[in-house]
Amino acid sequence: MTENTQTPSAPDSELPTTYAPAEVEGKLYERWVERGYFTADPASEKPAYTIVIPPPNVTGSLHLGHAFQHTLMDALTRRKRMQGYESLWLPGMDHAGIATQNKVEQQLAEEGKSRHDLGREEFVERVWQWKEEYGGKILGQMRRLGDGVDWSRERFTMDEGLSKAVQTIFKRLFDDGLIYRAERIINWCPRCLTAISDIEVEYQEDAGELVSIKYGEGEDTLVVATTRAETMLGDTAIAVHPDDERYKHLVGKLIKLPLTDRSIPVVADTHVDPEFGTGCVKVTPAHDPNDFAIGQRHNLPNMTIMDEHGVITVHGPFLGLDRFEARSAVVGALRQQGRIVAEKRPYLHSVGHCSRCSTTVEPRLSLQWWVKVETLAKAAGDAVRDDRVTIHPKEMEKRYFDWVDNLNDWCISRQLWWGHRIPVWYGPNGEVVCVGPDDAVPTGEGWVQDTDVLDTWFSSGLWPFSTLGWPEKTPDLAKFYSTDVLVTGHDIIFFWVARMMMFGLYAMDGEVPFKTIALTGLVRDERGKKMSKSFGNVVDPLDWMDKYGSDAVRFTLAKGANPGTDVPIGEDWVQASRNFANKIWNATRFALMNGATIEGELPAPEQMSATDRWILSRLNKTVAQVDAYYEDFQFSKLSEALYHFAWDEVFAWYVELSKTTFFAGGEQAKVSGRVLGEVLDTMLRLLHPVVPFVTETLWTTLTGGESLVVADWPKDSGFRDEAAEAEIEQVQAVVTEVRRFRKEQGLQDGQKVPARLDLTGTALAPHEGAIRQLLRLQPEGDSFSATATLPVAGATVALDLSGTIDVAAERKRLSKDLAAAEKEKQQAEAKLGNEAFIAKAPDNVVDKIKGRLAKAEVDIARLQTQLDGLPATQ
């Protein structure tokens, strides 16, 4: 437990009878920010703890995925701040090249204009205006969630400092021969008119057609199958496997390409799977990445057959047709010539679509800028292999290695106007000059800058160090790099995580960008289904915050956060978390009204009741347990541990068991009041990182302290009392069993029943008053008649249920349960008496059966005693 470092004082006012999040959360958050609690000081002597926020798109708004990851990051940084670290959680936004440009182009379209009407410079200015007016909506929503970020360090990937970082690293990579320009196959969006990264391609099952086409004549006939028949116009070869005996005689020969006046060679290439289809594939190097690789190996020409809009540019009858129109026209022409051998329609297959506009992506040969990743990717893999960076959960390492160990060169140029323009100038005589931030730009007639901008992931790949002032040697960079934890979804491990690793190690002389990668799953609906607008199951977390409070949303998300696995969430669960916040509120109000205090030292153990010692022992175990779960990023388990400690142990048992003490008053009530104050103080500190608002309100009222944000994190004092825990477990067993019996008999919760308690030989005597209070048991009167006897935990509870119990029905129920227990015993004894079974069965299976036997024997004894205690039926 933690020593309270705040000066106690009387609460300013009593707590309202109900908790109203809307009246508390906004004011509290602004108070935290105004007091500078989230502002990190690079001059502090405290150890640093740093997390940089995965920068959301400037066009975006808070969705459940953001709320989920932000809750976890906030919990980590709040806890570390309470533990005495100089805790920095750095916020910012990504300029989101394609998404933002699309937003502004849509605005212009409504005005009947295009970006070309404005020109590049005026268009970029228009985007900045849009950003200032509409961008960054998510930042305000982060405040609603309670994000404890250092707003004084807010960054934007297009701000002056980050732009300098981008130009600096581009220049260094270029000078080191790690950036080059070349023609390669890229993902092309015919609507956005730009290359797009792999992460911006979304694959879905489309109903297309698979046609099998006959190439050549007579003995020189080959059949190929394709879903993109129009691309045959750009075929420059047919490939077969070199060991395929069916086609060896054709390798090297020229085959007539249908619908054209060209002949193309048959080449042998190991890429071809001889077992798939006919074992022949058409090779279109300018329109397929695998075909491009084959073309490179065999020196095939690259024939581009469509322009950037997806319009056919070759072969008279198809010239000017859209690619999909051309597909039908080509198939029709082939059918007329008798060259269609087979057709399958519809044919479901995976097709890439632009994530921004849903247009079908076209693989296209294009002159682009590339990063040579071989050495960078090896360094990124080695950093994990030699444990400088830990991936959590560990089983995700394989996916990371599968990616970085097989990484292709990265296309970094985009045909956009919004973004970091590539800092390369071309001279009138073919000169190519890369300009760094401190270099003079070439001037004179004929010098022009490259028109492309950089992939958004290029600038966001610098995020862990560019946001701290790199390339300058700033105090922030010295204090807060490398960052401690990267919390991000497993879905972008390949794209963002790998790029940050490569750039961080390169720019920072081998110093890793983060020490731990904590991978999360994706948020899904309560049935485990992906959230999608088309499914109608997308939830705006702000709606739930309005209805139930931010704490309820945060606690629900944290409870579902098992490392690396997806998180189902439903409104019922948020409502349950709201109920938990209300329970904390109501129980704390009761505690304050009944003398709970943090004033003075804790009483000595010998002054405490067993109930007091039990809850303090459980409290310290919970502190240790929560700490262990935090270190292992087990947010679900730590949330469950806190939930069950607060609700099940503090509120349901300790407070209830202590009511008789509080009501009696006197010295023991003061002792228990101080214990209850200690428990609530520590419990609220433990809960604060996940549910900051309700805990802050309650804790400042309880303690008079300044703020939980800057309070000390609890420590395990080492206090344990196993005897007290065992004693209270006996009390719980008695109360639980009698409650179960009462419920089975249909007794109302408040209905009082005469009872005789025989506690001889147990440690339950001091708790008789509390047991009677909890179970609504009256003292036995002169006319007491035991109609039911319950042996439990070494004690006997005899109840007089005259007039309230159906003895015949109870005897029937107990007899049925007894028969089931005796059957279970017989089955267990039969298995344990079977020597052949015992000889083959694993030890854990045998132990499990022995456990079933022991439980059955206990149940039989209990049920038989209860039957014997029932009065005879007439």
Side-chain angles (χ1 to χ4, degrees):
M1 289 169 291
T2 301
E3 207 176 296
N4 181 51
T5 57
Q6 311 296 334
T7 303
S9 61
D12 295 334
S13 60
E14 291 186 0
L15 290 170
T17 55
T18 58
Y19 177 52
E23 297 175 12
V24 170
E25 294 176 348
K27 295 175 184 177
L28 265 187
Y29 187 83
E30 292 308 315
R31 186 187 309 162
W32 291 334
V33 173
E34 288 167 7
R35 292 181 177 180
Y37 292 153
F38 305 139
T39 305
D41 180 6
S44 170
E45 295 183 359
K46 297 177 182 178
Y49 183 82
T50 314
I51 293 180
V52 291
I53 197 170
N57 287 353
V58 66
T59 61
S61 59
L62 190 75
H63 57 64
L64 274 174
H66 290 130
F68 171 51
Q69 291 182 357
H70 286 208
T71 294
L72 306 188
M73 287 184 274
D74 196 32
L76 290 171
T77 49
R78 283 179 182 269
R79 173 175 174 263
K80 285 295 183 180
R81 189 179 292 111
M82 294 173 75
Q83 286 184 313
Y85 286 78
E86 195 63 25
S87 190
L88 168 61
W89 185 18
L90 195 149
M93 291 185 300
D94 190 282
H95 64 279
I98 295 176
T100 310
Q101 179 156 321
N102 281 348
K103 288 278 188 184
V104 179
E105 288 197 88
Q106 287 167 12
Q107 269 192 350
L108 290 173
E110 292 171 3
E111 301 170 15
K113 298 178 183 178
S114 75
R115 60 179 161 129
H116 300 285
D117 294 323
L118 272 64
R120 183 167 193 147
E121 190 173 326
E122 188 177 341
F123 176 78
V124 170
E125 179 59 33
R126 180 72 175 259
V127 180
W128 277 108
Q129 292 172 6
W130 181 92
K131 184 257 181 187
E132 294 304 316
E133 187 172 355
Y134 300 104
K137 177 182 178 182
I138 191 172
L139 298 178
Q141 295 168 340
M142 286 162 55
R143 291 172 178 262
R144 283 287 315 277
L145 188 65
D147 282 9
V149 297
D150 185 347
W151 292 110
S152 71
R153 285 179 169 81
E154 181 190 332
R155 303 306 299 268
F156 180 54
T157 50
M158 288 281 286
D159 68 29
E160 184 178 351
L162 268 64
S163 295
K164 181 178 181 179
V166 168
Q167 195 172 354
T168 299
I169 201 164
F170 188 100
K171 170 71 171 171
R172 291 188 187 179
L173 290 163
F174 182 90
D175 290 347
D176 286 346
L178 296 176
I179 282 183
Y180 64 95
R181 198 179 189 213
E183 273 197 324
R184 297 280 181 84
I185 294 286
I186 45 87
N187 303 307
W188 181 264
C189 176
R191 185 253 169 236
C192 297
L193 297 179
T194 180
I196 60 176
S197 67
D198 292 338
I199 196 171
E200 291 161 328
V201 178
E202 292 182 348
Y203 288 89
Q204 63 188 47
E205 292 291 312
D206 282 3
E209 60 180 347
L210 180 69
V211 294
S212 297
I213 307 169
K214 182 174 68 174
Y215 285 43
E217 300 292 346
E219 293 182 359
D220 295 346
T221 297
L222 295 171
V223 175
V224 299
T226 181
T227 58
R228 300 164 67 211
E230 72 282 3
T231 63
M232 68 161 291
L233 301 174
D235 286 358
T236 57
I238 295 176
V240 298
H241 194 276
D243 298 331
D244 195 330
E245 294 293 337
R246 294 173 295 176
Y247 307 117
K248 275 191 173 182
H249 67 289
L250 292 175
V251 174
K253 283 191 174 185
L254 292 177
I255 299 291
K256 179 73 174 177
L257 180 64
L259 306 183
T260 74
D261 57 1
R262 294 189 294 118
S263 293
I264 58 176
V266 178
V267 299
D269 196 280
T270 54
H271 170 75
V272 180
D273 180 0
E275 303 298 324
F276 185 77
T278 63
C280 305
V281 296
K282 58 192 287 299
V283 182
T284 319
H287 294 278
D288 182 272
N290 293 321
D291 293 3
F292 179 78
I294 294 174
Q296 292 285 294
R297 290 192 288 272
H298 298 277
N299 296 315
L300 300 174
N302 301 316
M303 187 172 178
T304 300
I305 63 155
M306 64 180 78
D307 65 14
E308 65 269 25
H309 297 279
V311 173
I312 302 299
T313 57
V314 296
H315 294 293
F318 311 110
L319 184 66
L321 293 180
D322 171 80
R323 54 186 168 152
F324 300 117
E325 295 172 338
R327 183 172 301 172
S328 298
V330 166
V331 171
L334 289 168
R335 189 182 295 113
Q336 284 184 344
Q337 292 187 7
R339 296 218 168 249
I340 300 296
V341 177
E343 295 180 69
K344 185 175 182 181
R345 188 186 300 110
Y347 177 72
L348 288 177
H349 62 130
S350 182
V351 177
H353 295 258
C354 175
S355 63
R356 305 300 178 190
C357 66
S358 299
T359 301
T360 300
V361 168
E362 190 66 38
R364 184 170 187 261
L365 185 66
S366 182
L367 182 63
Q368 302 284 346
W369 285 95
W370 304 80
V371 172
K372 189 181 294 184
V373 301
E374 183 179 1
T375 57
L376 300 174
K378 182 181 183 304
D382 290 345
V384 174
R385 288 190 170 93
D386 62 23
D387 296 326
R388 282 177 289 152
V389 176
T390 301
I391 293 180
H392 190 89
K394 190 172 179 62
E395 54 265 27
M396 287 286 182
E397 279 187 2
K398 182 179 184 303
R399 295 181 65 185
Y400 177 80
F401 291 136
D402 286 346
W403 178 255
V404 297
D405 293 348
N406 299 284
L407 200 57
N408 296 318
D409 285 359
W410 170 21
C411 175
I412 56 171
S413 47
R414 299 290 179 266
Q415 290 64 56
L416 303 171
W417 286 356
W418 171 245
H420 296 100
R421 194 164 173 181
I422 288 176
V424 172
W425 270 255
Y426 305 107
N429 300 312
E431 302 96 333
V432 178
V433 176
C434 181
V435 177
D438 300 321
D439 298 337
V441 174
T443 58
E445 187 176 349
W447 283 93
V448 293
Q449 185 178 359
D450 195 298
T451 57
D452 289 352
V453 300
L454 287 163
D455 177 12
T456 296
W457 295 97
F458 190 95
S459 52
S460 60
L462 315 181
W463 192 252
F465 52 94
S466 64
T467 52
L468 296 172
W470 188 90
E472 308 300 327
K473 294 181 178 179
T474 63
D476 276 3
L477 193 64
K479 177 72 175 179
F480 297 112
Y481 189 89
S482 36
T483 68
D484 287 87
V485 183
L486 173 72
V487 178
T488 192
H490 61 65
D491 55 325
I492 60 171
I493 185 174
F494 313 126
F495 309 106
W496 189 45
V497 178
R499 298 195 184 344
M500 285 190 290
M501 286 284 279
M502 291 191 297
F503 280 167
L505 291 162
Y506 174 80
M508 298 299 294
D509 300 321
E511 193 174 356
V512 297
F514 24 74
K515 302 176 186 75
T516 300
I517 302 169
L519 295 171
T520 69
L522 307 179
V523 179
R524 297 180 176 271
D525 71 13
E526 64 268 31
R527 296 178 181 83
K529 193 173 183 179
K530 180 181 178 181
M531 288 193 174
S532 166
K533 290 181 180 178
S534 61
F535 296 153
N537 61 349
V538 173
V539 173
D540 184 345
L542 296 169
D543 292 341
W544 282 350
M545 288 184 216
D546 289 341
K547 196 170 182 180
Y548 303 111
S550 297
D551 282 335
V553 174
R554 291 170 61 113
F555 194 69
T556 305
L557 291 165
K559 277 185 75 177
N562 288 302
T565 60
D566 289 346
V567 183
I569 184 172
E571 187 168 1
D572 288 350
W573 305 341
V574 183
Q575 187 173 352
S577 294
R578 188 273 313 273
N579 294 344
F580 177 52
N582 288 343
K583 185 71 173 180
I584 299 171
W585 183 272
N586 293 332
T588 304
R589 282 190 73 250
F590 169 84
L592 289 169
M593 290 188 294
N594 286 276
T597 181
I598 64 162
E599 293 187 25
E601 295 293 324
L602 268 177
E606 55 270 21
Q607 295 178 274
M608 299 179 191
S609 67
T611 308
D612 295 333
R613 296 194 303 276
W614 162 73
I615 197 62
L616 289 176
S617 183
R618 291 296 309 134
L619 175 66
N620 278 281
K621 286 183 178 180
T622 301
V623 171
Q625 190 177 42
V626 168
D627 276 334
Y629 286 146
Y630 261 115
E631 295 306 312
D632 199 34
F633 302 99
Q634 298 280 358
F635 293 96
S636 177
K637 290 182 178 179
L638 72 88
S639 300
E640 288 286 352
L642 287 169
Y643 176 89
H644 289 297
F645 175 72
W647 194 301
D648 297 342
E649 296 187 300
V650 178
F651 305 146
W653 287 106
Y654 180 72
V655 170
E656 294 300 321
L657 287 170
S658 301
K659 278 183 178 178
T660 52
T661 301
F662 289 133
F663 294 160
E667 197 58 35
Q668 192 56 53
K670 292 180 181 178
V671 170
S672 293
R674 180 63 186 89
V675 170
L676 180 54
E678 183 76 12
V679 170
L680 290 174
D681 176 18
T682 304
M683 183 190 76
L684 292 170
R685 293 175 195 248
L686 289 173
L687 282 164
H688 177 73
V690 179
V691 283
F693 294 109
V694 67
T695 53
E696 173 85 340
T697 307
L698 294 173
W699 185 84
T700 51
T701 303
L702 171 70
T703 68
E706 180 187 346
S707 172
L708 264 177
V709 180
V710 292
D712 290 339
W713 180 253
K715 294 179 181 177
D716 175 9
S717 72
F719 178 81
R720 302 287 190 275
D721 194 325
E722 302 299 338
E725 289 196 44
E727 185 172 321
I728 300 305
E729 283 176 9
Q730 283 187 298
V731 175
Q732 291 172 324
V734 170
V735 173
T736 300
E737 177 61 22
V738 176
R739 278 178 173 166
R740 183 192 66 79
F741 178 78
R742 287 177 58 110
K743 186 175 182 180
E744 289 174 349
Q745 298 309 310
L747 299 179
Q748 298 298 316
D749 290 342
Q751 189 172 348
K752 295 182 178 180
V753 177
R756 178 189 299 136
L757 273 61
D758 182 358
L759 309 178
T760 306
T762 72
L764 296 171
H767 306 284
E768 180 170 351
I771 292 171
R772 287 186 176 276
Q773 172 76 20
L774 288 169
L775 293 173
R776 305 293 190 269
L777 301 180
Q778 293 178 319
E780 56 186 292
D782 294 338
S783 60
F784 180 82
S785 174
T787 58
T789 303
L790 306 175
V792 58
T796 302
V797 179
L799 303 173
D800 184 353
L801 301 177
S802 303
T804 63
I805 182 175
D806 184 335
V807 175
E810 177 63 6
R811 184 176 292 280
K812 183 178 180 181
R813 183 190 68 80
L814 289 172
S815 297
K816 181 180 178 181
D817 291 349
L818 180 61
E822 288 173 338
K823 182 178 181 181
E824 176 74 5
K825 178 185 176 185
Q826 291 170 2
Q827 290 175 341
E829 286 177 335
K831 286 189 175 181
L832 294 173
N834 185 332
E835 293 182 2
F837 171 79
I838 295 297
K840 295 179 180 178
D843 291 344
N844 65 316
V845 174
V846 175
D847 290 342
K848 186 175 181 180
I849 295 171
K850 287 180 178 178
R852 285 168 50 193
L853 176 61
K855 182 179 183 302
E857 289 174 339
V858 170
D859 288 344
I860 289 169
R862 173 178 59 82
L863 292 165
Q864 189 61 61
T865 303
Q866 290 181 19
L867 272 169
D868 294 343
L870 288 175
T873 53
Q874 299 297 322

